[in-house]
Amino acid sequence: MSPQLQLDSHGRLRHLLTLEGLDAALLTEILDTADDIERSLRGPDKKLATLRGRTIVNLFFEPSTRTRTTFELAAKRLSADVLNLQMAASSTSKGETLFDTLKTLEAMQADMFVVRHEASGAAHFFAEHAAPDVAILNAGDGRHAHPTQGLLDLLTIRRYKSGAGSGGNCFSGLRVAIVGDVLHSRVARSDIHGLRALGTRDIRVVAPPTLVPAGIEQMGVRVCHRIEDGLDGVDVVILLRLQKERMLGAYLPSSGEFHRDFGLTRQRLGAMRRDAIVMHPGPINRGVEVEGEVAYGPQSVILQQVSHGIAVRMAVMSMILGRGGRGRSPVAAGRAAKQGRAAGRSGSGTSRQRRRA
Ligand code: CP
């Protein structure tokens, strides 16, 4: 899978398939755009006109609560038309291939597909076969990547840890623990790529040996098999669910034993820095990777992660589809489109006259 497929010849995003290969400048631009968008929508008007007239299709071949709904909200807040295909009720259940599904929907003039699939590489497949003016966003493929989750995690960390680090880079001095089923986790991989690109050097993956992928140290992380070592002095802990739907065998004696050895309890919070934040991509399995009181305790930012998902997804969609080729920020492009519409309503020329001008 080539990460370069997602960039155009100027290094701008064409698709978003993985955080692997994205540099600090581009990641920072996405986070800054998400901040801009969120600031611009603080008033009663929750919409920008950035993607008016564009069509975005959500193709979720795997269940989702957070990602699907926040992608839909993000697209609607950018004024795009949104189509949600119910994959279980679509013709894929009659044997239609991914390629034929893609080409069929392209024929309806879709501009962007948001794809979640249980197979690693599915989003790359779509990007390789999509028409030149169609963009693909990976909403999670197998255990490979979940780039918008990685981005919303980075945004959340930046919001809560902006005072950390040196030289204006809050990520450089952070200590981050990723705890749980790293072996099956696309979120862990995306978080590690993003954090490393932004300069975080102390990343620990904390799990029993059966749930750590071979060679993960090559991604620039340290492996800990004892949670006490993994949590020692960290600023951020990212918890991961046991992804039983991706487990083909017995990786653990039981969920209870996993909780005993690796669950985040109130008592274990004491090993972390006092101002450490607790993150989790969801869905949560209470009493397994985290105690219920910790999941919604004062250090938890799990629900804030969900909110940040909307801004990050708006940022990515608008950076790919919404600049209008003039290098304008998505917020400026959205405002200009809205003003253009208002001017049209107030009779300052027909749309054809404005285009000619
Ligand atoms: N974090 C995440 O991907 O959650 P969903 O499966 O609910 O979309």
Side-chain angles (χ1 to χ4, degrees), residues 14 155 181 189 193 199 232 247 303 305 330 346-347:
R14 227 185 87 40
L155 186 67
D181 182 1
R189 285 168 181 75
H193 283 306
D232 185 29
M247 292 186 185
L303 295 180
Q305 286 174 265
S346 67

Side-chain angles (χ1 to χ4, degrees), residues 20-340:
E20 186 180 359
L22 300 192
D23 62 19
L26 185 50
L27 292 172
T28 304
E29 185 188 350
I30 297 170
L31 302 185
D32 290 349
T33 304
D35 278 344
D36 264 4
I37 287 175
E38 210 168 82
R39 263 193 302 274
S40 78
L41 297 181
R42 274 197 194 133
D45 188 353
K46 294 277 179 290
K47 273 195 163 184
L48 289 169
T50 316
L51 299 189
R52 189 189 300 137
R54 301 299 199 120
T55 302
I56 297 177
V57 180
N58 282 327
L59 292 177
F60 278 64
F61 296 85
E62 255 191 357
S64 166
T65 299
R66 282 146 282 267
T67 312
R68 202 199 62 71
T69 47
T70 53
F71 260 118
E72 181 173 352
L73 263 180
K76 286 180 171 167
R77 288 188 184 170
L78 290 166
S79 305
D81 295 320
V82 184
L83 197 63
N84 292 304
L85 235 73
Q86 304 302 323
M87 297 320 297
S90 78
S91 288
T92 52
S93 64
K94 300 182 207 163
E96 186 171 72
T97 64
L98 287 186
F99 181 85
D100 292 333
T101 303
L102 170 69
K103 292 297 153 191
T104 301
L105 293 165
E106 273 182 0
M108 301 174 199
Q109 278 87 49
D111 296 291
M112 177 178 270
F113 292 93
V114 179
V115 182
R116 169 171 286 193
H117 201 284
E118 66 274 13
S120 298
H124 272 79
F125 177 86
F126 271 88
E128 273 163 4
H129 294 93
D133 54 347
V134 169
I136 306 297
L137 301 190
N138 184 2
D141 63 325
R143 58 172 85 174
H144 170 241
H146 194 347
T148 54
Q149 179 71 45
L151 289 166
L152 74 88
D153 287 350
L154 295 175
L155 186 67
T156 304
I157 293 171
R158 195 169 83 161
R159 291 272 172 93
Y160 284 91
K161 296 291 160 195
S162 56
S166 59
N169 178 4
C170 74
F171 290 97
S172 61
L174 284 182
R175 282 159 287 197
V176 180
I178 302 176
V179 183
D181 182 1
V182 182
L183 180 66
H184 299 98
S185 176
R186 52 199 179 205
V187 175
R189 285 168 181 75
S190 290
D191 284 346
I192 293 168
H193 283 306
L195 286 165
R196 291 290 300 163
L198 289 172
T200 307
R201 290 182 295 274
D202 186 347
I203 306 174
R204 311 156 191 189
V205 299
V206 187
T210 49
L211 293 180
V212 177
I216 194 159
E217 294 89 346
Q218 285 158 26
M219 293 181 78
V221 301
R222 177 155 65 90
V223 175
C224 301
H225 295 309
R226 276 171 33 91
I227 192 162
E228 291 73 17
D229 300 335
L231 293 183
D232 185 29
V234 294
D235 304 281
V236 176
V237 59
I238 300 171
L239 302 171
L240 302 172
R241 176 176 70 86
L242 293 177
Q243 288 140 106
K244 291 187 177 146
E245 72 278 17
R246 288 184 214 135
M247 292 186 185
L248 297 175
Y251 290 82
L252 293 164
S254 69
S255 303
E257 246 175 77
F258 179 81
H259 182 68
R260 187 194 68 204
D261 294 340
F262 290 95
L264 188 62
T265 58
R266 275 167 297 176
Q267 196 187 358
R268 284 183 173 142
L269 287 174
M272 302 160 36
R273 283 177 59 101
R274 284 232 314 267
D275 61 352
I277 54 172
V278 175
M279 299 172 60
H280 193 310
I284 291 169
N285 286 153
R286 288 158 176 266
V288 183
E289 68 272 10
V290 63
E291 232 174 43
E293 289 84 349
V294 175
Y296 288 108
Q299 285 170 270
S300 168
V301 296
I302 294 171
L303 295 180
Q304 288 82 346
Q305 286 174 265
V306 177
S307 306
H308 295 159
I310 302 171
V312 150
R313 289 172 176 128
M314 288 176 78
V316 171
M317 287 172 163
S318 56
M319 282 172 65
I320 293 176
L321 287 185
R323 283 185 199 280
R326 287 179 287 262
R328 272 197 304 222
S329 81
V331 172
R335 287 218 181 96
K338 223 175 214 176
Q339 277 157 9

